[in-house]
Amino acid sequence: MALPSLTKEDRQAALLKAAANRKIRAELREKLKKGELTLKSAFEQVTTNEAIAKMKVLALLESMPGVGKIRAENLMGKIGIAQSRRLKGLGPHQLNALLEEFN
């Protein structure tokens, strides 16, 4: 499948949107790391913010205080969440299991 050809303006708009989305996700991770935001409030933003909805679960968990890559991967495996899963793709049981783990 060939990529669509974009005009210079379309390409620039896409680059700006991607940069803005990365900034939103970085701010969320930083707030989680500092304890300014809870995991529950981060999950609540999934329905209203497309940038956060497309964030990988692994990246979100690694941003939690005291959680590194290994612990996040083990937790996801225990709950049954694929490594490539994004926040908007989590089911209600998976969400509840994650919230219970961090309460």
Coordinates of all heavy atoms in Angstrom, one line a residue:
M1 N 0.8 -1.2 0.0 CA 0.0 0.0 0.0 C 0.9 1.2 0.0 O 1.7 1.4 0.9 CB -0.9 0.0 1.2 CG -1.8 1.2 1.3 SD -2.9 0.9 2.7 CE -3.5 2.5 2.9
A2 N 0.7 2.1 -1.0 CA 1.5 3.3 -1.1 C 1.0 4.4 -0.2 O -0.2 4.5 0.1 CB 1.4 3.8 -2.5
L3 N 1.9 5.1 0.4 CA 1.6 6.2 1.2 C 0.9 7.3 0.4 O 1.4 7.6 -0.7 CB 2.8 6.8 2.0 CG 3.5 5.8 2.9 CD1 4.7 6.4 3.5 CD2 2.5 5.5 4.1
P4 N 0.0 8.0 1.0 CA -0.6 9.1 0.2 C 0.4 10.3 0.1 O 1.2 10.5 0.9 CB -1.8 9.6 1.1 CG -1.5 9.1 2.5 CD -0.6 7.9 2.3
S5 N 0.3 10.9 -1.1 CA 1.2 12.0 -1.3 C 0.6 13.3 -0.6 O -0.6 13.6 -0.7 CB 1.4 12.3 -2.8 OG 0.2 12.6 -3.4
L6 N 1.4 13.9 0.2 CA 1.0 15.1 0.9 C 1.6 16.3 0.4 O 2.7 16.3 -0.1 CB 1.4 15.0 2.4 CG 0.9 13.8 3.2 CD1 1.5 13.8 4.6 CD2 -0.6 13.9 3.3
T7 N 0.8 17.4 0.4 CA 1.4 18.7 0.1 C 2.3 19.1 1.2 O 2.3 18.6 2.3 CB 0.3 19.7 -0.1 OG1 -0.4 19.9 1.1 CG2 -0.8 19.3 -1.2
K8 N 3.1 20.1 0.9 CA 4.0 20.7 1.9 C 3.3 21.2 3.1 O 3.7 21.0 4.2 CB 4.9 21.8 1.3 CG 6.0 22.3 2.1 CD 6.9 23.2 1.4 CE 8.0 23.7 2.2 NZ 8.9 24.5 1.5
E9 N 2.1 21.8 2.9 CA 1.3 22.3 4.0 C 0.7 21.2 4.8 O 0.7 21.3 6.1 CB 0.2 23.2 3.5 CG 0.7 24.5 2.8 CD 1.1 24.3 1.4 OE1 0.8 23.3 0.7 OE2 1.9 25.2 0.9
D10 N 0.3 20.1 4.2 CA -0.3 19.0 4.9 C 0.8 18.3 5.7 O 0.5 17.9 6.9 CB -0.9 18.0 3.9 CG -2.2 18.4 3.3 OD1 -2.8 19.4 3.8 OD2 -2.5 17.9 2.2
R11 N 2.0 18.2 5.2 CA 3.1 17.5 5.9 C 3.5 18.4 7.1 O 3.7 17.8 8.2 CB 4.3 17.4 5.0 CG 5.5 16.7 5.7 CD 6.6 16.6 4.7 NE 6.2 15.8 3.6 CZ 6.5 14.5 3.5 NH1 7.1 13.9 4.4 NH2 6.1 13.8 2.4
Q12 N 3.5 19.7 6.9 CA 3.9 20.6 8.0 C 2.8 20.5 9.1 O 3.1 20.5 10.3 CB 4.0 22.0 7.5 CG 4.5 23.0 8.6 CD 5.9 22.6 9.1 OE1 6.7 22.1 8.3 NE2 6.2 23.0 10.3
A13 N 1.5 20.5 8.8 CA 0.4 20.4 9.7 C 0.5 19.0 10.5 O 0.3 19.0 11.7 CB -0.9 20.5 9.0
A14 N 0.8 18.0 9.8 CA 1.0 16.7 10.4 C 2.1 16.6 11.4 O 2.0 16.1 12.5 CB 1.1 15.6 9.4
L15 N 3.2 17.3 11.0 CA 4.4 17.3 11.9 C 4.1 18.1 13.2 O 4.5 17.8 14.3 CB 5.6 18.0 11.2 CG 6.3 17.1 10.1 CD1 7.3 17.9 9.4 CD2 6.9 15.9 10.8
L16 N 3.4 19.2 13.0 CA 3.0 20.1 14.2 C 2.0 19.3 15.1 O 2.2 19.4 16.3 CB 2.4 21.4 13.7 CG 3.3 22.4 13.1 CD1 2.5 23.6 12.5 CD2 4.4 22.8 14.1
K17 N 1.1 18.6 14.5 CA 0.2 17.8 15.3 C 0.9 16.7 16.1 O 0.6 16.5 17.3 CB -0.9 17.2 14.4 CG -2.0 16.4 15.2 CD -3.0 15.8 14.3 CE -4.0 15.0 15.1 NZ -5.0 14.4 14.2
A18 N 1.8 16.0 15.4 CA 2.6 15.0 16.1 C 3.4 15.5 17.2 O 3.5 14.9 18.3 CB 3.5 14.2 15.1
A19 N 4.0 16.7 17.0 CA 4.8 17.3 18.1 C 4.0 17.7 19.3 O 4.3 17.5 20.4 CB 5.6 18.5 17.6
A20 N 2.8 18.2 19.0 CA 1.8 18.6 20.1 C 1.4 17.4 20.9 O 1.3 17.4 22.1 CB 0.7 19.3 19.5
N21 N 1.1 16.3 20.2 CA 0.7 15.0 20.8 C 1.8 14.5 21.7 O 1.6 14.0 22.8 CB 0.3 14.0 19.8 CG -1.1 14.3 19.2 OD1 -1.8 15.1 19.7 ND2 -1.4 13.7 18.1
R22 N 3.1 14.5 21.2 CA 4.2 14.0 22.0 C 4.3 14.9 23.3 O 4.6 14.4 24.4 CB 5.5 14.1 21.2 CG 5.6 12.9 20.2 CD 7.0 12.8 19.7 NE 7.4 14.0 19.0 CZ 7.2 14.3 17.7 NH1 6.5 13.5 17.0 NH2 7.7 15.4 17.2
K23 N 4.1 16.2 23.2 CA 4.2 17.1 24.3 C 3.2 16.8 25.4 O 3.4 16.7 26.6 CB 4.1 18.5 23.9 CG 4.3 19.5 25.0 CD 4.3 20.9 24.5 CE 4.5 21.9 25.7 NZ 4.4 23.3 25.3
I24 N 1.9 16.5 24.9 CA 0.8 16.2 25.8 C 1.1 14.9 26.6 O 1.0 14.8 27.8 CB -0.5 16.0 25.0 CG1 -0.9 17.4 24.5 CG2 -1.6 15.4 25.9 CD1 -2.1 17.4 23.6
R25 N 1.6 13.9 25.8 CA 2.0 12.6 26.5 C 3.1 12.8 27.5 O 3.1 12.2 28.6 CB 2.3 11.5 25.4 CG 1.0 11.1 24.7 CD 1.3 9.9 23.8 NE 2.1 10.1 22.7 CZ 1.6 10.5 21.5 NH1 0.3 10.6 21.3 NH2 2.5 10.7 20.5
A26 N 4.1 13.6 27.1 CA 5.3 13.8 28.0 C 4.8 14.5 29.3 O 5.3 14.2 30.4 CB 6.3 14.6 27.3
E27 N 3.9 15.5 29.1 CA 3.4 16.2 30.3 C 2.7 15.2 31.2 O 2.8 15.3 32.5 CB 2.5 17.4 29.9 CG 3.3 18.5 29.3 CD 2.4 19.6 28.7 OE1 1.2 19.4 28.7 OE2 3.0 20.6 28.2
L28 N 1.9 14.4 30.7 CA 1.1 13.4 31.5 C 2.1 12.5 32.2 O 1.9 12.2 33.4 CB 0.2 12.6 30.6 CG -0.6 11.5 31.3 CD1 -1.8 12.1 32.0 CD2 -1.1 10.4 30.3
R29 N 3.1 12.0 31.5 CA 4.1 11.1 32.2 C 4.8 11.8 33.3 O 5.0 11.2 34.4 CB 5.1 10.5 31.1 CG 4.5 9.5 30.2 CD 5.6 8.7 29.4 NE 6.4 9.6 28.7 CZ 6.2 10.0 27.4 NH1 5.1 9.6 26.8 NH2 7.0 10.8 26.8
E30 N 5.1 13.0 33.1 CA 5.8 13.8 34.1 C 5.0 14.0 35.3 O 5.4 13.9 36.5 CB 6.3 15.1 33.5 CG 7.2 15.9 34.4 CD 8.5 15.2 34.7 OE1 9.0 14.5 33.8 OE2 9.1 15.4 35.8
K31 N 3.7 14.3 35.1 CA 2.8 14.5 36.2 C 2.6 13.2 37.0 O 2.5 13.2 38.3 CB 1.4 15.0 35.7 CG 1.4 16.5 35.3 CD 0.1 16.9 34.8 CE 0.1 18.4 34.4 NZ -1.2 18.8 33.9
L32 N 2.5 12.1 36.3 CA 2.4 10.8 37.0 C 3.7 10.5 37.8 O 3.6 10.1 39.0 CB 2.2 9.7 36.0 CG 0.8 9.5 35.4 CD1 0.8 8.6 34.3 CD2 -0.2 9.1 36.5
K33 N 4.8 10.8 37.2 CA 6.1 10.5 37.9 C 6.2 11.4 39.2 O 6.7 10.9 40.2 CB 7.2 10.8 37.0 CG 8.6 10.3 37.4 CD 9.6 10.5 36.3 CE 9.3 9.5 35.3 NZ 10.3 9.2 34.3
K34 N 5.7 12.6 39.1 CA 5.8 13.5 40.3 C 4.7 13.3 41.3 O 4.8 13.8 42.4 CB 5.8 15.0 39.8 CG 7.0 15.4 39.1 CD 6.9 16.9 38.7 CE 8.2 17.3 38.0 NZ 8.0 18.8 37.6
G35 N 3.7 12.5 41.0 CA 2.6 12.2 41.9 C 1.6 13.3 41.8 O 0.7 13.3 42.7
E36 N 1.6 14.2 40.9 CA 0.6 15.2 40.7 C -0.7 14.7 40.1 O -1.7 15.4 40.1 CB 1.2 16.4 39.8 CG 2.4 17.1 40.4 CD 3.0 18.0 39.4 OE1 2.5 18.2 38.3 OE2 4.1 18.6 39.8
L37 N -0.6 13.6 39.5 CA -1.8 13.0 38.8 C -1.9 11.5 39.2 O -0.9 10.8 39.3 CB -1.6 13.1 37.3 CG -2.7 12.8 36.4 CD1 -3.8 13.9 36.5 CD2 -2.2 12.8 34.9
T38 N -3.1 11.0 39.4 CA -3.3 9.6 39.7 C -3.5 8.8 38.5 O -3.9 9.4 37.4 CB -4.5 9.4 40.7 OG1 -5.7 9.8 40.0 CG2 -4.4 10.2 41.9
L39 N -3.4 7.5 38.6 CA -3.6 6.7 37.4 C -5.1 6.7 37.0 O -5.4 6.8 35.8 CB -3.2 5.2 37.8 CG -3.2 4.2 36.6 CD1 -2.1 4.7 35.6 CD2 -2.8 2.9 37.1
K40 N -6.0 6.8 37.9 CA -7.4 6.9 37.6 C -7.7 8.2 36.8 O -8.4 8.1 35.8 CB -8.2 6.9 38.9 CG -9.7 6.9 38.7 CD -10.5 6.7 39.9 CE -12.0 6.7 39.6 NZ -12.8 6.5 40.8
S41 N -7.2 9.3 37.2 CA -7.4 10.5 36.5 C -6.8 10.5 35.1 O -7.3 11.1 34.2 CB -7.0 11.7 37.3 OG -5.6 11.7 37.6
A42 N -5.7 9.8 35.0 CA -5.0 9.6 33.6 C -6.0 8.8 32.7 O -6.2 9.2 31.6 CB -3.7 9.0 33.8
F43 N -6.5 7.7 33.3 CA -7.5 6.9 32.5 C -8.7 7.7 32.1 O -9.3 7.4 31.1 CB -7.8 5.6 33.2 CG -6.8 4.6 33.2 CD1 -6.5 3.9 34.4 CD2 -6.0 4.3 32.1 CE1 -5.5 2.9 34.4 CE2 -5.0 3.3 32.0 CZ -4.8 2.6 33.2
E44 N -9.2 8.6 33.0 CA -10.3 9.4 32.7 C -10.1 10.3 31.5 O -11.1 10.7 30.8 CB -10.8 10.2 33.9 CG -11.3 9.4 35.0 CD -11.5 10.1 36.3 OE1 -11.1 11.3 36.4 OE2 -12.1 9.5 37.2
Q45 N -8.9 10.7 31.2 CA -8.6 11.6 30.1 C -8.6 10.8 28.7 O -8.5 11.5 27.7 CB -7.2 12.2 30.3 CG -7.2 13.2 31.5 CD -5.9 13.9 31.6 OE1 -5.2 14.1 30.7 NE2 -5.5 14.1 32.9
V46 N -8.6 9.5 28.8 CA -8.6 8.7 27.5 C -9.7 9.1 26.6 O -9.6 9.1 25.4 CB -8.5 7.2 27.8 CG1 -8.7 6.4 26.6 CG2 -7.1 6.9 28.5
T47 N -10.9 9.2 27.2 CA -12.1 9.5 26.4 C -12.2 10.9 25.8 O -12.8 11.1 24.8 CB -13.4 9.2 27.2 OG1 -13.4 10.1 28.4 CG2 -13.5 7.8 27.7
T48 N -11.4 11.8 26.4 CA -11.5 13.2 25.9 C -10.3 13.7 25.1 O -10.3 14.7 24.5 CB -11.7 14.2 27.1 OG1 -10.7 14.0 28.0 CG2 -13.1 13.9 27.8
N49 N -9.2 12.9 25.3 CA -7.9 13.4 24.6 C -7.4 12.3 23.8 O -6.9 11.3 24.3 CB -6.9 13.8 25.7 CG -5.7 14.5 25.2 OD1 -5.3 14.2 24.1 ND2 -5.3 15.5 26.0
E50 N -7.4 12.5 22.5 CA -6.9 11.5 21.5 C -5.4 11.2 21.6 O -5.0 10.1 21.5 CB -7.2 12.0 20.1 CG -7.0 10.9 19.0 CD -7.8 9.7 19.1 OE1 -9.0 9.8 19.6 OE2 -7.4 8.6 18.6
A51 N -4.6 12.2 22.0 CA -3.2 12.0 22.2 C -2.9 11.0 23.3 O -2.1 10.1 23.2 CB -2.5 13.3 22.4
I52 N -3.6 11.1 24.4 CA -3.5 10.2 25.5 C -4.0 8.9 25.2 O -3.5 7.9 25.6 CB -4.1 10.8 26.8 CG1 -3.3 12.1 27.2 CG2 -4.1 9.8 27.9 CD1 -3.9 12.9 28.3
A53 N -5.2 8.8 24.5 CA -5.8 7.6 24.1 C -4.8 6.7 23.3 O -4.9 5.5 23.4 CB -7.1 7.8 23.3
K54 N -4.0 7.3 22.5 CA -3.0 6.6 21.6 C -1.7 6.2 22.3 O -0.8 5.6 21.7 CB -2.8 7.4 20.3 CG -4.0 7.4 19.4 CD -3.7 8.1 18.1 CE -4.9 8.1 17.2 NZ -4.6 8.7 15.9
M55 N -1.6 6.6 23.6 CA -0.4 6.3 24.4 C -0.3 4.8 24.7 O -1.3 4.2 25.0 CB -0.4 7.1 25.6 CG 0.8 7.0 26.5 SD 0.6 8.1 27.9 CE 2.1 8.0 28.7
K56 N 0.9 4.2 24.7 CA 1.0 2.8 25.0 C 0.9 2.6 26.5 O 1.4 3.5 27.3 CB 2.3 2.3 24.5 CG 2.4 2.2 23.0 CD 3.5 1.3 22.5 CE 3.4 1.1 21.0 NZ 4.2 0.1 20.5
V57 N 0.2 1.5 26.9 CA 0.0 1.2 28.3 C 1.4 1.1 29.0 O 1.6 1.6 30.1 CB -0.8 -0.1 28.5 CG1 -0.9 -0.4 30.0 CG2 -2.2 0.1 27.9
L58 N 2.3 0.5 28.4 CA 3.7 0.2 29.0 C 4.3 1.6 29.3 O 4.9 1.7 30.4 CB 4.5 -0.5 28.0 CG 5.9 -1.0 28.5 CD1 5.8 -1.9 29.7 CD2 6.7 -1.7 27.4
A59 N 4.2 2.6 28.4 CA 4.8 3.9 28.7 C 4.1 4.5 29.9 O 4.8 5.2 30.7 CB 4.7 4.8 27.4
L60 N 2.8 4.4 30.0 CA 2.1 5.0 31.1 C 2.5 4.3 32.4 O 2.8 5.0 33.4 CB 0.6 4.8 30.9 CG -0.3 5.4 32.0 CD1 -0.4 6.9 31.8 CD2 -1.6 4.8 32.0
L61 N 2.6 3.0 32.4 CA 3.0 2.3 33.7 C 4.4 2.6 34.1 O 4.7 2.8 35.3 CB 2.8 0.8 33.5 CG 1.3 0.3 33.4 CD1 1.3 -1.2 33.2 CD2 0.5 0.8 34.5
E62 N 5.3 2.7 33.1 CA 6.7 3.1 33.5 C 6.8 4.4 34.1 O 7.8 4.8 34.7 CB 7.6 3.0 32.2 CG 7.8 1.5 31.8 CD 8.6 1.5 30.5 OE1 9.0 2.5 29.9 OE2 8.8 0.3 30.0
S63 N 5.8 5.3 33.9 CA 5.8 6.7 34.4 C 5.4 6.7 35.9 O 5.6 7.7 36.5 CB 4.9 7.6 33.6 OG 5.4 7.6 32.3
M64 N 4.8 5.6 36.3 CA 4.4 5.6 37.7 C 5.6 5.5 38.7 O 6.5 4.8 38.3 CB 3.4 4.3 38.0 CG 2.2 4.4 37.2 SD 1.1 5.7 37.6 CE 0.7 5.2 39.3
P65 N 5.5 6.2 39.8 CA 6.6 6.1 40.8 C 6.9 4.7 41.2 O 6.0 3.9 41.6 CB 6.1 7.0 41.9 CG 5.1 7.8 41.4 CD 4.4 7.0 40.3
G66 N 8.1 4.2 41.2 CA 8.5 2.9 41.6 C 8.3 1.8 40.6 O 8.4 0.6 41.0
V67 N 7.9 2.2 39.4 CA 7.6 1.1 38.4 C 8.6 1.3 37.3 O 8.7 2.4 36.7 CB 6.2 1.2 37.8 CG1 5.9 0.2 36.8 CG2 5.1 1.1 39.0
G68 N 9.3 0.3 37.0 CA 10.3 0.3 35.9 C 9.8 -0.6 34.8 O 8.6 -1.1 34.8
K69 N 10.6 -0.8 33.8 CA 10.2 -1.5 32.6 C 9.9 -3.0 33.0 O 8.8 -3.5 32.5 CB 11.3 -1.5 31.6 CG 11.0 -2.2 30.3 CD 12.1 -2.0 29.3 CE 11.7 -2.6 28.0 NZ 11.1 -1.7 27.0
I70 N 10.7 -3.6 33.8 CA 10.4 -5.0 34.2 C 9.1 -5.2 35.0 O 8.3 -6.1 34.7 CB 11.6 -5.6 35.0 CG1 12.9 -5.5 34.2 CG2 11.4 -7.0 35.4 CD1 12.9 -6.3 32.8
R71 N 8.9 -4.3 36.0 CA 7.7 -4.5 36.8 C 6.5 -4.2 35.9 O 5.5 -4.9 36.0 CB 7.8 -3.5 37.9 CG 6.5 -3.6 38.8 CD 6.6 -2.9 40.1 NE 5.4 -3.0 40.8 CZ 4.9 -2.0 41.6 NH1 5.5 -0.9 41.8 NH2 3.7 -2.2 42.2
A72 N 6.6 -3.2 35.0 CA 5.5 -2.9 34.1 C 5.1 -4.1 33.2 O 4.0 -4.4 33.0 CB 5.7 -1.6 33.3
E73 N 6.2 -4.6 32.6 CA 6.0 -5.8 31.7 C 5.4 -7.0 32.5 O 4.5 -7.7 32.0 CB 7.3 -6.2 31.1 CG 7.7 -5.2 30.0 CD 9.1 -5.5 29.4 OE1 9.8 -6.5 30.0 OE2 9.5 -4.9 28.5
N74 N 5.9 -7.2 33.7 CA 5.4 -8.4 34.5 C 3.9 -8.1 34.9 O 3.1 -9.1 34.8 CB 6.2 -8.6 35.8 CG 7.6 -9.1 35.5 OD1 7.8 -9.7 34.4 ND2 8.5 -9.0 36.4
L75 N 3.6 -6.9 35.2 CA 2.2 -6.6 35.6 C 1.3 -6.7 34.4 O 0.2 -7.3 34.5 CB 2.1 -5.2 36.1 CG 0.8 -4.6 36.6 CD1 0.2 -5.5 37.7 CD2 0.9 -3.2 37.0
M76 N 1.7 -6.3 33.3 CA 0.9 -6.4 32.1 C 0.7 -7.9 31.7 O -0.4 -8.3 31.3 CB 1.5 -5.6 30.9 CG 1.4 -4.1 31.1 SD 2.3 -3.2 29.8 CE 1.3 -3.6 28.4
G77 N 1.7 -8.7 31.9 CA 1.6 -10.1 31.6 C 0.6 -10.8 32.5 O -0.2 -11.6 32.1
K78 N 0.7 -10.4 33.8 CA -0.2 -11.0 34.8 C -1.6 -10.7 34.5 O -2.5 -11.5 34.7 CB 0.2 -10.5 36.2 CG -0.6 -11.0 37.3 CD -0.1 -10.5 38.7 CE -0.8 -9.3 39.0 NZ -0.5 -8.8 40.4
I79 N -1.9 -9.4 34.1 CA -3.3 -9.0 33.8 C -3.7 -9.5 32.5 O -4.9 -9.7 32.2 CB -3.4 -7.5 33.9 CG1 -3.1 -7.0 35.4 CG2 -4.7 -7.0 33.5 CD1 -3.0 -5.5 35.6
G80 N -2.8 -9.7 31.5 CA -3.2 -10.2 30.2 C -3.3 -9.1 29.2 O -4.1 -9.1 28.3
I81 N -2.4 -8.1 29.3 CA -2.4 -6.9 28.4 C -1.2 -7.1 27.5 O 0.0 -7.3 28.0 CB -2.3 -5.6 29.2 CG1 -3.4 -5.5 30.2 CG2 -2.2 -4.4 28.2 CD1 -3.3 -4.3 31.1
A82 N -1.4 -7.0 26.2 CA -0.3 -7.1 25.2 C 0.7 -6.0 25.4 O 0.3 -4.8 25.7 CB -0.8 -7.2 23.8
Q83 N 1.9 -6.2 25.1 CA 3.0 -5.1 25.2 C 2.7 -4.0 24.2 O 3.1 -2.8 24.5 CB 4.3 -5.7 24.8 CG 4.8 -6.8 25.7 CD 5.1 -6.3 27.1 OE1 5.6 -5.2 27.3 NE2 4.8 -7.1 28.1
S84 N 2.0 -4.2 23.1 CA 1.7 -3.2 22.2 C 0.4 -2.4 22.4 O 0.0 -1.6 21.6 CB 1.7 -3.8 20.7 OG 0.7 -4.8 20.6
R85 N -0.3 -2.8 23.4 CA -1.7 -2.3 23.7 C -1.6 -0.8 24.0 O -0.7 -0.3 24.7 CB -2.3 -3.0 24.8 CG -3.7 -2.5 25.2 CD -4.8 -2.8 24.2 NE -4.9 -4.2 24.0 CZ -5.4 -4.7 22.9 NH1 -5.8 -4.0 21.9 NH2 -5.5 -6.0 22.7
R86 N -2.6 0.0 23.4 CA -2.7 1.4 23.7 C -3.8 1.6 24.7 O -4.6 0.7 24.9 CB -2.9 2.2 22.4 CG -1.7 2.0 21.5 CD -1.7 2.9 20.3 NE -0.7 2.7 19.4 CZ 0.5 3.2 19.5 NH1 0.8 4.1 20.4 NH2 1.5 2.9 18.6
L87 N -3.8 2.8 25.4 CA -4.8 3.0 26.4 C -6.2 2.9 26.0 O -7.1 2.3 26.7 CB -4.6 4.4 27.0 CG -3.3 4.6 27.8 CD1 -3.2 6.0 28.3 CD2 -3.2 3.6 28.9
K88 N -6.5 3.3 24.7 CA -7.9 3.3 24.3 C -8.3 1.8 24.0 O -9.5 1.5 23.9 CB -8.1 4.1 23.0 CG -7.4 3.6 21.8 CD -7.7 4.6 20.6 CE -6.9 4.1 19.4 NZ -7.1 5.0 18.3
G89 N -7.4 0.9 23.9 CA -7.7 -0.5 23.6 C -7.9 -1.3 24.9 O -8.1 -2.5 24.7
L90 N -7.8 -0.8 26.0 CA -8.0 -1.5 27.3 C -9.4 -1.9 27.5 O -10.3 -1.0 27.3 CB -7.4 -0.8 28.5 CG -5.9 -0.7 28.6 CD1 -5.5 0.2 29.8 CD2 -5.3 -2.0 28.7
G91 N -9.7 -3.1 28.0 CA -11.0 -3.5 28.3 C -11.3 -3.1 29.8 O -10.4 -2.7 30.5
P92 N -12.6 -3.1 30.2 CA -13.0 -2.7 31.5 C -12.3 -3.5 32.6 O -11.9 -3.0 33.7 CB -14.5 -2.8 31.5 CG -14.9 -3.7 30.4 CD -13.8 -3.5 29.4
H93 N -12.2 -4.8 32.4 CA -11.5 -5.7 33.4 C -10.0 -5.4 33.5 O -9.5 -5.4 34.6 CB -11.7 -7.2 33.0 CG -13.1 -7.6 33.0 ND1 -13.9 -7.7 34.1 CD2 -13.9 -8.0 32.0 CE1 -15.1 -8.1 33.8 NE2 -15.2 -8.3 32.5
Q94 N -9.4 -5.1 32.4 CA -8.0 -4.7 32.4 C -7.8 -3.4 33.2 O -6.9 -3.2 34.0 CB -7.4 -4.6 31.0 CG -7.4 -6.0 30.3 CD -7.0 -5.9 28.8 OE1 -7.4 -4.9 28.2 NE2 -6.4 -6.9 28.3
L95 N -8.7 -2.4 32.9 CA -8.6 -1.1 33.5 C -8.8 -1.3 35.1 O -8.0 -0.7 35.8 CB -9.7 -0.2 33.0 CG -9.4 0.7 31.9 CD1 -10.6 1.4 31.4 CD2 -8.4 1.7 32.3
N96 N -9.8 -2.1 35.4 CA -10.0 -2.3 36.9 C -8.8 -3.0 37.5 O -8.5 -2.6 38.7 CB -11.3 -3.1 37.1 CG -12.5 -2.3 36.8 OD1 -12.5 -1.0 36.8 ND2 -13.6 -3.0 36.4
A97 N -8.2 -3.9 36.9 CA -7.1 -4.7 37.4 C -5.9 -3.7 37.6 O -5.2 -3.8 38.7 CB -6.7 -5.8 36.5
L98 N -5.7 -2.8 36.7 CA -4.6 -1.9 36.8 C -4.9 -0.9 38.0 O -4.0 -0.6 38.8 CB -4.4 -1.1 35.5 CG -3.7 -1.8 34.4 CD1 -3.7 -1.0 33.1 CD2 -2.3 -2.2 34.8
L99 N -6.1 -0.4 38.1 CA -6.4 0.5 39.1 C -6.3 -0.1 40.5 O -5.9 0.5 41.5 CB -7.9 1.1 38.9 CG -8.0 2.0 37.7 CD1 -9.5 2.4 37.5 CD2 -7.2 3.3 37.9
E100 N -6.7 -1.4 40.6 CA -6.6 -2.1 41.9 C -5.1 -2.3 42.3 O -4.8 -2.2 43.4 CB -7.3 -3.5 41.8 CG -8.8 -3.4 41.8 CD -9.5 -4.8 41.7 OE1 -8.8 -5.8 41.9 OE2 -10.6 -4.8 41.4
E101 N -4.3 -2.5 41.3 CA -2.9 -2.7 41.5 C -2.2 -1.5 42.1 O -1.3 -1.6 42.9 CB -2.2 -3.1 40.2 CG -0.7 -3.5 40.4 CD -0.5 -4.8 41.1 OE1 -1.4 -5.7 41.0 OE2 0.5 -4.9 41.8
F102 N -2.7 -0.3 41.7 CA -2.0 0.9 42.1 C -2.8 1.7 43.2 O -2.5 2.9 43.5 CB -1.8 1.8 40.9 CG -0.6 1.3 40.1 CD1 -0.9 0.6 38.9 CD2 0.7 1.5 40.5 CE1 0.1 0.1 38.2 CE2 1.7 0.9 39.7 CZ 1.4 0.2 38.5
N103 N -3.8 1.1 43.8 CA -4.6 1.7 44.9 C -4.1 1.3 46.2 O -3.5 0.3 46.4 CB -6.1 1.5 44.8 CG -6.7 2.4 43.8 OD1 -6.2 3.5 43.5 ND2 -7.9 2.1 43.3

